[in-house]
Amino acid sequence: MSYDGKLMRQALARFDEDRQRREENLRARERAIYQREPRIEEINIELSHTMAKIIASGLKRGTDPRGAIAALQEENLNLQAERARLLQNLGYPADYLEQKANCRKCADTGFVGSEMCSCLRDYYVRAQNEELSQLLDLGTQSFETFDFDYYSSAPDFEVGTSPRLNMEKVYDVCQDYAHEFSPKSGNLLLYGDTGLGKTFLSASIARVVSEGGHSVVYDTANHVFSLFEAQKFRRESGEENANDAVERYLKCDLLIIDDLGTEMTTSFVQSAVYQIVNTRLMTGKKTVISTNLSPEEIGKRYGAAVQSRIEGEYRILPFFGEDIRKIKRNR
């Protein structure tokens, strides 16, 4: 599982901010308690010096430090007991001034050994969903809110099935893909006319895969290729952002490209499409593409090599029926 460097930096920053906020809350509790009972501050200062005294006793040459260390430990316990009594007299629990870890598994470090802890992964998922929400309506677009009533049950004799039956099959494939996403998953091509639910299902996939802790990048084809062009020709404005963006497109666990075919097609764009499709296949990264173009039209626009890879390595899901936007306007 790979993580997006930009989003991980955001997640770590928020993780540290929350940890610092908890530490500041502890300091505020300490200040309030010290005003009411100054002896507790004295005890805490004495306890902070105990470890230094134990180390000094252990390093003293020519003497047996065990007796001194035992005495210091007893002194430490007595101070803790006195502090507990004073806190309880004030109406607080004995551990009121102890900093408790928010996560028991990692003790608020964010890592368990060399593995990222689930608590830090939650921060990463939130940062990723915030970014996805800038382009997708993750609040309402989900598998749970998908409405099949917009698809006719009347058979389309050219296709051999009804839009509704077809969409039920497409929906099941997309839902299974999202919930079972892993490095062994395949790739999807969602194609058909506008207003048939391709972006809706793309958003649903993005949401579920992101919540599973995988790195997901969603973007429109126009924006993807503009950043590839900025990186290629080293434009002064946004060059560093373009470099980072291209790296994210090529290395994320799941890349979702929306509206392929709406961009102005040039030889550079043809090359960029091949680079994305081929590089991600070679590195085992997964891709979902939504487009108005059929596989044959993709071949005509971007070349036979792209068409061959898509037909050989992508699950092709056709969308057909009446434009849902028009249906909504007429209701």
Side-chain angles (χ1 to χ4, degrees):
M1 186 181 299
S2 63
Y3 293 96
D4 186 301
K6 169 189 170 184
L7 298 179
M8 182 54 70
R9 288 190 293 273
Q10 293 178 7
L12 286 169
R14 293 178 184 178
F15 182 84
D16 287 336
E17 285 172 5
D18 286 349
R19 182 169 55 190
Q20 291 172 13
R21 191 176 297 113
R22 291 192 295 272
E23 292 174 355
E24 289 168 1
N25 289 338
L26 175 61
R27 301 285 87 79
R29 295 202 304 271
E30 287 176 341
R31 289 192 295 270
I33 292 295
Y34 294 164
Q35 288 183 346
R36 296 184 62 186
E37 179 52 80
R39 173 57 186 159
I40 293 178
E41 182 176 14
E42 295 174 359
I43 291 172
N44 279 348
I45 292 172
E46 291 180 47
L47 286 171
S48 68
H49 294 158
T50 301
M51 184 56 67
K53 292 178 182 177
I54 289 175
I55 293 173
S57 297
L59 294 176
K60 190 177 293 183
R61 294 182 179 179
T63 61
D64 186 347
R66 287 177 293 182
I69 290 174
L72 287 169
Q73 289 174 334
E74 183 178 357
E75 178 187 343
N76 186 297
L77 292 173
N78 290 335
L79 288 170
Q80 291 182 48
E82 182 185 356
R83 181 179 62 186
R85 287 194 300 272
L86 292 171
L87 284 169
Q88 289 169 339
N89 290 340
L90 294 173
Y92 296 100
D95 62 354
Y96 183 68
L97 295 183
E98 293 179 13
Q99 181 68 286
K100 300 180 182 66
N102 197 50
C103 177
R104 294 182 178 179
K105 290 190 290 185
C106 70
D108 291 350
T109 64
F111 293 87
V112 179
S114 60
E115 297 293 323
M116 183 188 300
C117 184
S118 59
C119 66
L120 179 54
R121 190 176 296 114
D122 288 342
Y123 279 82
Y124 178 87
V125 170
R126 287 199 294 272
Q128 183 163 251
N129 283 343
E130 286 176 12
E131 175 156 296
L132 290 171
S133 296
Q134 295 175 17
L135 292 171
L136 296 169
D137 182 8
L138 295 186
T140 61
Q141 292 177 329
S142 68
F143 289 113
E144 292 74 20
T145 59
F146 192 86
D147 191 349
F148 291 102
D149 290 340
Y150 289 113
Y151 301 89
S152 172
S153 297
D156 184 319
F157 294 106
E158 289 186 10
V159 180
T161 187
S162 70
R164 177 160 185 145
L165 283 175
N166 175 72
M167 188 48 57
E168 288 174 353
K169 293 178 182 177
V170 168
Y171 174 92
D172 287 342
V173 170
C174 291
Q175 187 177 50
D176 290 345
Y177 182 86
H179 286 287
E180 298 171 7
F181 186 84
S182 76
K184 296 181 179 180
S185 298
N187 308 281
L188 301 179
L189 177 74
L190 284 53
Y191 84 92
D193 292 336
T194 59
L196 294 177
K198 298 188 298 297
T199 298
F200 193 110
L201 286 180
S202 295
S204 303
I205 291 171
R207 180 177 187 167
V208 172
V209 174
S210 174
E211 289 173 351
H214 302 276
S215 58
V216 180
V217 175
Y218 172 97
D219 212 339
T220 61
N222 264 317
H223 194 232
V224 169
F225 300 133
S226 69
L227 288 170
F228 265 79
E229 190 173 4
Q231 187 243 20
K232 175 70 173 179
F233 298 107
R234 299 184 178 275
R235 292 177 179 167
E236 292 183 5
S237 58
E239 179 184 341
E240 182 177 353
N241 289 337
N243 287 334
D244 290 344
V246 168
E247 183 176 6
R248 295 174 69 211
Y249 293 143
L250 296 178
K251 294 185 177 181
C252 62
D253 293 329
L254 176 63
L255 173 64
I256 301 177
I257 302 177
D258 196 22
D259 279 341
L260 181 70
T262 57
E263 76 289 340
M264 182 179 295
T265 306
T266 64
S267 59
F268 176 82
V269 168
Q270 292 172 332
S271 174
V273 172
Y274 177 81
Q275 182 183 355
I276 292 170
V277 171
N278 191 60
T279 299
R280 292 186 61 79
L281 285 175
M282 294 292 290
T283 56
K285 301 299 184 181
K286 310 308 170 188
T287 309
V288 172
I289 298 174
S290 71
T291 179
N292 297 346
L293 304 173
S294 68
E296 294 76 17
E297 291 169 327
I298 288 175
K300 292 178 182 178
R301 182 170 296 206
Y302 304 108
V306 172
Q307 180 183 352
S308 173
R309 281 160 176 75
I310 286 178
E311 290 181 335
E313 300 290 345
Y314 282 61
R315 178 80 178 267
I316 297 174
L317 304 175
F319 286 61
F320 59 90
E322 188 177 351
D323 189 330
I324 293 172
R325 298 185 187 93
K326 292 180 180 179
I327 297 175
K328 289 181 177 180
R329 282 198 299 269
N330 293 331
R331 283 188 174 181

